[in-house]
Amino acid sequence: MEKMNEIDAFEYYEKVLKKPKNFLAPMVGGSELAYRLLVRRYGVHITYTPMFHSLNFSKDPTYRRTHFQTSPEDRPLVVQFCANNPDVLLAAAKLVEDKCDAIDINLGCPQKIAKKGRYGAFLLEEPELVYKLVSTLHQNLSIPVFCKIRLLSSLEATVQFAKGLEKSGCKLLVVHGRRKDQIRATVGAADWEAIRIIKESLTIPVISNGSIQTFSDIKDCLDKTGADGVMSADAVLRNPAFFSGLKPDVFTLMREYIEICKIYPPHPRYISLHIFEMLRDRIHMVGEYRETLQNFTKQDFEGLLNLIEQIETKVKEEEKKITLNQ
């Protein structure tokens, strides 16, 4: 029987993954099972787990139980790892090989902790190590290996790096159209033109990541980059229904999320993050509830639903005041 990592990249993308266009990005503290299941109801075609540290994942059963959950309806699913040791990465990947559809290597994290840990976007400076990480998975897993990168210092260098990934066995590439130094105040717009050139240079599916903030951005990005799909994090955190083009009542979405959490309880910090993100545009209206949300450390779902009801009442009161004062 042919292994899934041996078939053509586009054949896998189209026939096994069903040609997904809308990708939920891997988010530390944000793309846990309950949230993945929620966004799948609203136009997301494929989801990524949060980034897992391959050494912790391979050695620590408690770390695995705490951070990795899945379910039969959680497919297609990509599990993402950070790593700088091919053998450690392979050991971690083997533990979830039969529970997902691909393994992704994080080559895009620009944070200081990634520099200290020698992973993420800081491995872009070590191409031979990265190629070894990819080839080790490609040669030893039954499922494909994907990669997520940022732009290097030059477009030419990025294209050459991407070609090296493909040659090493990468079957799908997500390109965040910013360099690793483009964070916080210097973030700027994603370079869709660079992604277009990378896409034209490869023979595997390429997914565009960055500057997807409105529903119309999706088509605009696909048209301008020629990418096979788009990946979003921030926009989907604010509105879990983002990829559907809908804007449901935010409190209805919160309650829907909590109902899923009752079935697949995540760590409480995931829940707090999602409530805060869905309230981001209204958080100034509910300052008295911030500390309660921040200190939510137990899976008291009924208590949380009651808190959401209080916040909803407060928001509607504040919005009514704004309307009357206009």
Side-chain angles (χ1 to χ4, degrees), residues 187 198 207 216 274 308:
V187 63
I198 295 166
I207 309 305
S216 62
H274 289 303
I308 289 171

Side-chain angles (χ1 to χ4, degrees), residues 72-96:
E73 62 268 46
D74 186 33
R75 305 295 282 268
L77 175 68
V78 181
V79 176
Q80 187 187 70
F81 291 106
C82 67
N84 55 35
N85 182 304
D87 294 330
V88 171
L89 175 59
L90 179 61
K94 280 289 184 181
L95 293 170
V96 294

Side-chain angles (χ1 to χ4, degrees), residues 31-281:
S31 58
E32 86 287 359
L33 174 60
Y35 205 70
R36 296 198 301 268
L37 295 180
L38 175 65
V39 300
R40 287 181 189 277
R41 298 176 178 180
Y42 294 98
V44 169
H45 301 144
I46 182 170
T47 64
Y48 282 54
T49 66
M51 180 197 75
F52 302 131
H53 289 261
S54 57
L55 180 60
N56 294 344
F57 199 91
S58 63
K59 299 293 186 181
D60 187 348
T62 301
Y63 178 90
R64 291 197 298 273
R65 286 195 303 269
T66 301
H67 297 287
F68 178 69
Q69 288 179 294
T70 188
S71 65
E73 62 268 46
D74 186 33
R75 305 295 282 268
L77 175 68
V78 181
V79 176
Q80 187 187 70
F81 291 106
C82 67
N84 55 35
N85 182 304
D87 294 330
V88 171
L89 175 59
L90 179 61
K94 280 289 184 181
L95 293 170
V96 294
E97 182 178 22
D98 62 342
K99 300 176 179 66
C100 63
D101 299 281
I103 300 295
D104 183 83
I105 303 174
N106 182 325
L107 302 170
C109 180
Q111 305 300 326
K112 289 181 179 179
I113 192 172
K115 182 176 183 179
K116 182 178 179 180
R118 193 182 165 214
Y119 64 81
F122 296 92
L123 283 189
L124 298 175
E125 302 163 7
E126 301 185 57
E128 294 308 316
L129 171 58
V130 171
Y131 301 156
K132 182 63 174 176
L133 293 171
V134 175
S135 63
T136 297
L137 293 191
H138 175 62
Q139 293 165 11
N140 293 282
L141 293 180
S142 61
I143 57 175
V145 54
F146 296 171
C147 294
K148 186 174 186 293
I149 69 169
R150 281 184 171 242
L151 301 178
L152 280 76
S153 58
S154 72
L155 179 55
E156 181 181 7
T158 310
V159 169
Q160 290 306 311
F161 187 89
K163 287 182 175 180
L165 292 176
E166 180 178 353
K167 185 177 180 181
S168 301
C170 177
K171 296 292 187 178
L172 180 145
L173 181 65
V174 178
V175 182
H176 186 142
R178 299 182 177 96
R179 301 181 310 276
K180 70 175 183 293
D181 61 295
Q182 289 180 279
I183 55 176
R184 299 185 181 90
T186 61
V187 63
D191 190 342
W192 287 355
E193 176 62 13
I195 295 174
R196 182 189 68 79
I197 293 171
I198 295 166
K199 165 63 183 173
E200 292 179 349
S201 303
L202 303 180
T203 62
I204 60 175
V206 172
I207 309 305
S208 181
N209 180 212
S211 293
I212 302 295
Q213 294 298 324
T214 68
F215 186 69
S216 62
D217 287 338
I218 298 171
K219 183 178 186 304
D220 194 25
C221 178
L222 292 173
D223 290 343
K224 291 181 178 178
T225 64
D228 300 285
V230 297
M231 175 178 280
S232 180
D234 192 64
V236 187
L237 281 176
R238 288 192 179 204
N239 175 16
F242 174 77
F243 273 116
S244 69
L246 302 174
K247 293 183 179 180
D249 174 71
V250 66
F251 296 101
T252 300
L253 287 171
M254 286 181 195
R255 293 184 178 98
E256 187 174 357
Y257 170 61
I258 297 304
E259 290 302 319
I260 300 173
C261 289
K262 290 180 181 180
I263 303 171
Y264 300 108
H267 191 284
R269 75 164 180 259
Y270 287 96
I271 300 173
S272 296
L273 179 142
H274 289 303
I275 299 300
F276 269 113
E277 287 293 340
M278 283 188 262
L279 280 172
R280 192 189 303 183
D281 295 333

